[in-house]
Amino acid sequence: MTSRLERLGLGFLVIAAASVTASAASHAPASKHPGATVPAVRPAPPAPQYISDRINELGRGFDGRVGIAVRSIDEDWTAGWKANELYPQQSCSKLWVSIAAMDAVDRGKLSLDDKVTLTRNDLTVFHQPIAANILGSGSYTTTVDDLLVRAITTSDNTANDKLMRIVGGPKAVRLMIAAKHLGAIRFYNGERALQSRIAGLMWSPAYSIGNAFWAARDALPLGARKAAFERYVSDPYDGAAPTAVVGALARLKRGEMLSPASTQHLLGIMSHTETGPNRLKGGLAPGWVLNHKTGTGQEFAGQQAGYNDIGILTAPDGKSYAVAVMIKLTSVPLPVRMTLMNNVVRAVITQHDMQYAPVAQH
């Protein structure tokens, strides 16, 4: 333990602040936004040696293109591996829709109890459990809060796209990202547009029913699918830098983006995420809590573009860490990817215990 403690604080890792990267679909400039404040700039302390070395080791040893970032929400240091590049977010981007919605609530523009009716015209593609409610009678009425819960906890694409339109569409989400100075985080035009473009298709409402999307994708010439897939990987339309993601998560946890009530409500929803139980969550130790959002992208020729988990780890003593593991491209089996994410969480816990466990303090 003594030799490990002596290593604390000796390393030096500087993560360059990621600048705002324009969206591939819309280069919306930053504009004034009610309640927006520029976060105070202060020198970031270096990451402790152990966590810096361990994150580098995990990133270097993974067979695929991965970005990893860990940020201490209390001490503000950041450790990362290739964490300033843009990685496909996929459903991790649902978090920004939810923050835009809660921000609208804080500004009195929206209520979580507002009624919302969805019809067949709202259906999207891939994972959309709410579709069963809609197709049963042709429409389904629920609340804004229910859409938010479904989008985060079950990653429902239709619930998320409807919520996005309620807050003002893709432009409103991009304006929120810019107004709150979240940095290198892109947002595309919703799931229908994003998934169609990745596949090399133009969206058609017919794709939202049954296996129509898969059939249309499979009917494309192989060369066209390959070109579309590679364009997305090289410059993801929904790309985000892990450093920007953990910075945003840290500010969310500290209550710097939303009102106290909205912050707690959103974090509470994120603590009940059902997707990805063996990703970051698989590395938790007893007493630790995770508020998170997963993201999973399309595959082509055995390669998957986007396999992610981002979230906030909170220790039993209340100290917390923002974590982002974002895999841009890989063909390794799912258990290998999950093990990487488990090990990142275990590294954070080990670092925490080295600093704050009673024996370490003694």
Side-chain angles (χ1 to χ4, degrees):
M1 178 63 74
T2 302
S3 60
R4 295 172 77 189
L5 289 172
E6 290 172 349
R7 301 176 65 189
L8 286 173
L10 299 180
F12 185 79
L13 176 66
V14 176
I15 301 296
S19 59
V20 175
T21 305
S23 168
S26 172
H27 300 272
S31 63
K32 292 183 179 180
H33 189 278
T37 57
V38 180
V41 178
R42 57 180 177 179
Q49 190 71 48
Y50 168 77
I51 192 67
S52 177
D53 289 348
R54 183 60 175 147
I55 295 303
N56 285 335
E57 179 184 21
L58 290 170
R60 190 164 43 244
F62 182 73
D63 185 9
R65 298 170 65 181
V66 63
I68 306 170
V70 174
R71 183 163 182 164
S72 168
I73 296 174
D74 300 282
E75 297 183 353
D76 220 26
W77 52 256
T78 303
W81 169 263
K82 297 186 177 180
N84 292 319
E85 300 177 17
L86 293 179
Y87 295 81
Q89 292 183 80
Q90 289 295 316
S91 287
C92 290
S93 67
K94 290 180 171 73
L95 176 60
W96 318 124
V97 177
S98 295
I99 291 175
M102 296 309 302
D103 183 60
V105 170
D106 287 343
R107 292 183 288 114
K109 303 296 184 181
L110 193 64
S111 169
L112 292 176
D113 296 325
D114 286 348
K115 297 294 184 181
V116 181
T117 297
L118 297 91
T119 69
R120 289 171 180 262
N121 292 332
D122 293 307
L123 295 177
T124 56
V125 68
F126 297 151
H127 191 64
Q128 47 177 339
I130 202 171
N133 303 81
I134 299 169
L135 294 173
S137 60
S139 67
Y140 178 65
T141 299
T142 185
T143 64
V144 168
D145 194 36
D146 182 56
L147 293 180
L148 196 154
V149 170
R150 289 173 181 268
I152 293 293
T153 63
T154 68
S155 208
D156 191 307
N157 288 338
T158 293
N160 184 73
D161 272 17
K162 186 66 171 181
L163 186 63
M164 174 192 71
R165 290 191 290 275
I166 289 170
V167 301
K171 182 179 180 181
V173 179
R174 287 192 283 265
L175 286 173
M176 181 280 295
I177 291 170
K180 293 186 182 296
H181 308 279
L182 302 190
I185 296 173
R186 293 175 173 177
F187 186 80
Y188 198 56
N189 296 333
E191 291 291 341
R192 294 186 288 201
L194 175 66
Q195 302 305 337
S196 297
R197 188 175 180 187
I198 294 169
L201 297 168
M202 291 291 291
W203 173 254
S204 166
Y207 295 159
S208 64
I209 305 297
N211 66 347
F213 184 92
W214 285 269
R217 188 177 66 179
D218 292 345
L220 287 172
L222 200 61
R225 277 200 63 196
K226 182 174 185 290
F229 186 81
E230 290 179 348
R231 278 195 299 271
Y232 175 64
V233 172
S234 65
D235 189 18
Y237 321 126
D238 63 339
T243 47
V245 171
V246 296
L249 288 168
R251 291 182 57 206
L252 175 63
K253 175 67 174 179
R254 289 196 293 252
E256 296 173 3
M257 286 204 288
L258 300 170
S259 69
S262 292
T263 298
Q264 291 307 308
H265 186 68
L266 181 53
L267 290 177
I269 293 172
M270 292 171 67
S271 72
H272 290 90
T273 294
E274 299 173 14
T275 57
N278 294 316
R279 297 190 194 186
L280 291 178
K281 196 171 184 179
L284 289 178
W288 284 72
V289 175
L290 175 66
N291 315 81
H292 70 127
K293 183 70 196 79
T294 59
T296 307
Q298 294 186 48
E299 297 183 12
F300 176 77
Q303 298 266 318
Q304 187 164 33
Y307 190 85
N308 314 319
D309 204 354
I310 64 173
I312 299 165
L313 289 167
T314 303
D317 64 8
K319 295 189 182 300
S320 53
Y321 305 84
V323 180
V325 181
M326 306 180 74
I327 300 173
K328 178 179 287 190
L329 190 67
T330 192
S331 60
V332 301
L334 293 180
V336 177
R337 308 177 204 183
M338 293 174 186
T339 297
L340 168 68
M341 295 180 177
N342 294 174
N343 286 337
V344 170
V345 171
R346 290 174 184 137
V348 173
I349 294 172
T350 297
Q351 177 62 55
H352 177 85
D353 289 346
M354 290 169 69
Q355 286 186 259
Y356 299 113
V359 64
Q361 293 175 358
H362 177 69

